[in-house]
Amino acid sequence: MSSIIQQPKGSYLIRGGAVITVDRAIGTLPRADVLVRNGRVEKVADGIEADGVEVIDATDMIVMPGLIDTHYHMWSTVGRSFVSDGGYEYFQAKGATAALYEPEDFHNSVRLGLAELANSGVTTVHNWSHNNRSPAHVDAELRAHRDSGLRARYAMGHIDKMPVDQVNRYEDLPRVQEEWFADPSRLQGLVHLGVNLRGAIQSNVEVFYQEMEMMLKLGLPVAIHASQAEPNSDDAADYERRGFLGPNFLFCHYVTARQSDREAMARTGTPLSFSTLSEFRLGETGDARRALMKMREAGVMVSLSCDATSLVPPNMLENMRVTWNMGVPWQGTDTEHLPPIGLHEVIEMATINGARALGLGDMTGSLTPGKQADIILIRTNDLNTAPLANVETTVVMAATAANVDTVMVDGRIIKRGGRLVDCDVAQVVDGARRSAMRIRTAAGGILAPQCAGCAGNAVFRATAC
């Protein structure tokens, strides 16, 4: 993949589209122009005239902010088909393969994930790297980010299966800060650094407290997983008393949250990353619909995410669609008095809420003049999107990655005319294929469709058939 971020920021007049600004002061406009200069949105209005700009014809298109995924384990993207029937699901597949990824595999995996995100209209992603095996693995991921042109938070973590009573000292963190983030131009200001902690769900509570105190001193944004199924391992009210919570702290999942947890999050402005499809698959004792509705009722800011490719495709358009369809009150439950989630609300979850959850609300997430030009154009004259009526309905209920015509990040065009720019897709796919095959083979077998002789075995030797 060529380095997209070496391209200059262009000046564009995106003309004649239906515009969803996700700025409540401007609203959704049935027809308007968007003027972009030097990587920023300069103006949104109908009938803009400007000199020295390239005109992009947005007729029959929807113009809106790029989508934002606030929780994606990108190191395992190449493992998207490692799961299978016979009791070999996400955690089993991760456990069998996590230690087998080499730095090149991390690079190929993240590169694949970033290209797929760009293709589907995602312009910002939280790369939740919870298998940092070595400095070389970290560098491999950051090289992929450097060349992708997407905006991101890179959240360093632990080595998979780190002992629960061992404090993660983040020994490589100072080097990463110095080599990759001290000079913002190294990553063109598109990637910022954070950490993910194992939290009480994956380490001892005392270990989590120690790690959290370390990060408070460093001032880095923190993200943790919370329980999708009982028991609830976290106590948000206690975390509030300890000074952990706030806009710089991101919970993911938290299907099992109590009312006291939700209230603590709302009081402190602590955001939630809700992985809609993952919550259904892994929320074995919880109720994902109720969890979402109660978080919203409590006033918690909800963003959306995909989690991991072994569970969910990194497709935020699909994520919005499922979230809207599930976001209804249940009769006979404590949600029956709540209003259903609206179309515009889901779009906010996938854009401005995601930006705010990652500390980027002043930079991206809406087409507000002065913000960075992270913009996507969606065709409305395709078979699955025509005829256009309600603009927001088309985005949430009909659009797919195939309808994403143009993607712009920071004023640079990443996708144009339905094709990724400066991305050798065949090369990206080939690298991912090679890494996946090597990892599967190293795991002691090749994951493949079951034959009669291998029924019930998710992993079997290449010679088994």
Side-chain angles (χ1 to χ4, degrees), residues 358-438:
L358 298 180
L360 300 173
D362 293 334
M363 180 180 295
T364 188
S366 67
L367 301 186
T368 301
K371 286 192 178 183
Q372 302 301 125
D374 296 355
I375 302 172
I376 64 174
L377 277 63
I378 298 174
R379 292 189 301 274
T380 64
N381 56 359
D382 291 343
L383 288 172
N384 64 302
T385 54
L388 176 64
N390 186 295
V391 177
E392 294 175 348
T393 305
T394 298
V395 171
V396 176
M397 295 300 296
T400 70
N403 308 122
V404 177
D405 180 90
T406 302
V407 176
M408 181 184 299
V409 181
D410 209 39
R412 299 180 177 92
I413 292 180
I414 307 296
K415 184 179 184 182
R416 186 195 287 263
R419 298 179 65 87
L420 292 175
V421 176
D422 287 341
C423 176
D424 187 335
V425 173
Q427 184 187 64
V428 170
V429 170
D430 182 63
R433 183 186 297 116
R434 284 187 284 104
S435 284
M437 179 61 71
R438 193 200 62 73

Side-chain angles (χ1 to χ4, degrees), residues 243-315:
F244 293 173
L245 301 189
N248 221 29
F249 187 101
L250 177 65
F251 271 113
C252 186
H253 304 311
Y254 221 172
V255 174
T256 61
R258 302 167 292 250
Q259 183 63 15
S260 60
D261 299 317
R262 294 187 287 265
E263 291 173 352
M265 293 173 67
R267 279 193 302 269
T268 56
T270 300
L272 174 73
S273 177
F274 194 78
S275 300
T276 304
L277 292 165
S278 173
E279 317 306 6
F280 275 110
R281 187 68 188 178
L282 298 182
E284 297 169 349
T285 64
D287 177 351
R289 296 210 301 183
R290 177 181 181 274
L292 176 61
M293 298 294 282
K294 298 298 284 187
M295 281 286 183
R296 172 174 169 260
E297 179 190 30
V300 175
M301 187 180 68
V302 178
S303 66
L304 300 179
S305 60
C306 71
D307 201 347
T309 57
S310 299
L311 288 163
V312 178
N315 183 335

